[in-house]
Amino acid sequence: MEAVILHGGQGTRLRPLTHTGPKQLIKVAGKPVSQWVLEQIIDAGIKDVIIILGDNNPTRVVEYYGDGSRFNINIRYVYQGKARGLADAVYHVKDLVSDRFIVYLGDNIVPYDLAKFSNFNGSASILLAKVDNPQRFGVAIIKDGKVVKLIEKPKERVSDLALVGVYGFTREIFEVIENLKPSWRGELEITDAIQGLIDKGREVEYQIVDGWWKDTGTPKDILEANYFLLDKYAVKKIEGEVKDSAIDGRVVVENGASVVNSVIRGPVYIGAGSKVINSYIGPFTSIGDNCVVENSEVENSVLLDNVTIRGVSLMDSLIGNNSRVEKGNKWQKLIIGENSAVII
């Protein structure tokens, strides 16, 4: 069985962070979002992975994941180009998959047993979750234990069961996609494709996620995902240097990082090569690689790689790669894109 990770999309709701790269490579709790997806696939025993690339700097994805050998799997790439819908992306793997395969949106995090999910018998399987705002998602209508209808972003509340971006398919899905017409959005919708299977009398199985999951489409979603993943997976691991500092709780200090004269209260992640000096790092904070945090307070925030923070107090903030924030004495809320400088 193959797993297909969809790695396209423009990430408009995450701009300016996504002006220079795909949203799926934004790090939360120390790893890109799509790496959390990949490791979940690996845990299910799947060794053959296909990554569908979009047109937002796809070379970054290939450079990061390579051929998959460092994960002990095989990764192949397919270039979709301009986004024409999820069904169009799936159709691009027609000649690369066997009879059964799974598809996982690379910007979603769904802590669920994929080994259990991939063991389906019908023509397709979908993963669902109850949501308060179904108008944001494709939803499924269930009657007598069967999926009878799928609707993409319904204007009226017809169901609170949203598709969370994990699908199981057989090759029958390609026949349906070949006859699909674009939706009002001008895209080939995956919900329409699955509905086509239902209309042909094929069985579409479903499983329901009981608990947290996240579509990391907005800055708020990124912070919530970081909170959840640190809370669930963080451990105490000190591989870098800690000097004249207090480390409380589950804190990761990666190799090459240093903490000097500071207080760190976990769960916290501090990436390789980063320096924390004369600072307080509060719970649910992720600091990327090669960052500098000096004379500052940071809590419940995500700093991506190569960020410099000096003399400021940050809470609930998301700071993009290669950015610098300096001189402040009040709590700030910031969303800063790559290669930026903010002087407060």
Side-chain angles (χ1 to χ4, degrees):
M1 172 176 280
E2 297 84 10
V4 179
I5 300 176
L6 303 188
H7 219 288
Q10 295 299 312
T12 53
R13 292 179 296 165
L14 277 166
R15 289 177 180 167
L17 293 170
T18 52
H19 275 309
T20 54
K23 57 185 175 180
Q24 298 88 347
L25 288 185
I26 292 176
K27 286 184 178 180
V28 290
K31 301 175 187 176
V33 172
S34 56
Q35 185 174 336
W36 288 101
V37 171
L38 181 65
E39 292 181 2
Q40 193 177 350
I41 288 168
I42 294 170
D43 288 344
I46 299 173
K47 299 292 187 180
D48 194 1
V49 176
I50 302 166
I51 297 180
I52 307 295
L53 301 171
D55 56 2
N56 186 11
N57 206 342
T59 55
R60 281 195 175 188
V61 184
V62 179
E63 289 170 357
Y64 186 82
Y65 289 112
D67 62 1
S69 56
R70 69 186 177 100
F71 298 98
N72 295 315
I73 60 171
N74 176 52
I75 295 179
R76 292 175 287 172
Y77 298 93
V78 174
Y79 178 61
Q80 181 190 13
K82 184 178 180 180
R84 296 186 61 241
L86 297 186
D88 176 69
V90 171
Y91 192 75
H92 275 69
V93 303
K94 178 183 177 183
D95 298 327
L96 299 176
V97 296
S98 50
D99 184 56
R100 293 179 182 273
F101 61 100
I102 66 170
V103 175
Y104 201 137
L105 301 190
D107 55 352
N108 285 13
I109 298 175
V110 188
Y112 194 82
D113 184 355
L114 290 186
K116 174 184 175 183
F117 175 76
S118 62
N119 188 26
F120 62 96
N121 297 310
S123 295
S125 183
I126 55 178
L127 205 52
L128 304 172
K130 290 188 176 182
V131 296
D132 296 326
N133 50 348
Q135 69 277 4
R136 280 186 55 191
F137 307 94
V139 300
I141 298 176
I142 310 294
K143 288 186 179 179
D144 300 323
K146 292 185 177 181
V147 182
V148 296
K149 192 171 183 62
L150 299 179
I151 302 174
E152 182 66 28
K153 295 181 173 61
K155 294 181 180 179
E156 298 180 359
R157 190 182 183 91
V158 295
S159 170
D160 63 353
L161 290 174
L163 288 88
V164 300
V166 183
Y167 313 89
F169 293 121
T170 66
R171 294 189 59 83
E172 286 186 87
I173 194 67
F174 300 125
E175 299 174 14
V176 177
I177 294 174
E178 286 172 354
N179 296 302
L180 276 187
K181 294 182 180 180
S183 68
W184 62 270
R185 300 193 302 173
E187 297 185 354
L188 299 180
E189 307 286 0
I190 199 66
T191 46
D192 292 342
I194 301 170
Q195 183 64 46
L197 292 173
I198 296 171
D199 294 342
K200 291 173 65 174
R202 303 295 192 264
E203 182 181 4
V204 174
E205 300 176 11
Y206 70 94
Q207 296 178 35
I208 297 179
V209 177
D210 183 17
W212 182 94
W213 70 281
K214 181 57 64 176
D215 168 7
T216 58
T218 68
K220 180 181 177 183
D221 293 331
I222 292 291
L223 292 175
E224 289 181 358
N226 184 67
Y227 183 103
F228 171 84
L229 292 169
L230 284 177
D231 188 46
K232 185 175 178 66
Y233 296 111
V235 296
K236 188 167 186 176
K237 185 182 78 169
I238 310 297
E239 295 186 347
E241 178 187 14
V242 176
K243 182 179 179 181
D244 300 326
S245 299
I247 306 290
D248 297 328
R250 295 172 295 144
V251 174
V252 176
V253 180
E254 294 285 13
N255 187 39
S258 61
V259 178
V260 179
N261 194 32
S262 297
V263 175
I264 316 293
R265 291 182 178 162
V268 163
Y269 176 89
I270 301 174
S274 288
K275 298 179 181 179
V276 178
I277 305 167
N278 300 327
S279 295
Y280 164 76
I281 307 298
F284 305 106
T285 296
S286 288
I287 298 174
D289 296 341
N290 302 310
C291 295
V292 175
V293 180
E294 187 172 5
N295 299 320
S296 297
E297 298 172 294
V298 183
E299 190 168 303
N300 194 41
S301 295
V302 174
L303 314 185
L304 300 184
D305 294 340
N306 305 303
V307 168
T308 297
I309 306 292
R310 284 194 173 96
V312 300
S313 298
L314 299 179
M315 180 180 286
D316 303 332
S317 298
L318 175 55
I319 311 297
N321 294 324
N322 308 307
S323 296
R324 177 167 52 97
V325 183
E326 295 182 342
K327 292 184 182 178
N329 54 14
K330 295 182 180 179
W331 292 107
Q332 307 291 338
K333 272 193 173 184
L334 301 171
I335 300 169
I336 306 297
E338 297 187 10
N339 304 305
S340 301
V342 177
I343 311 299
I344 300 174

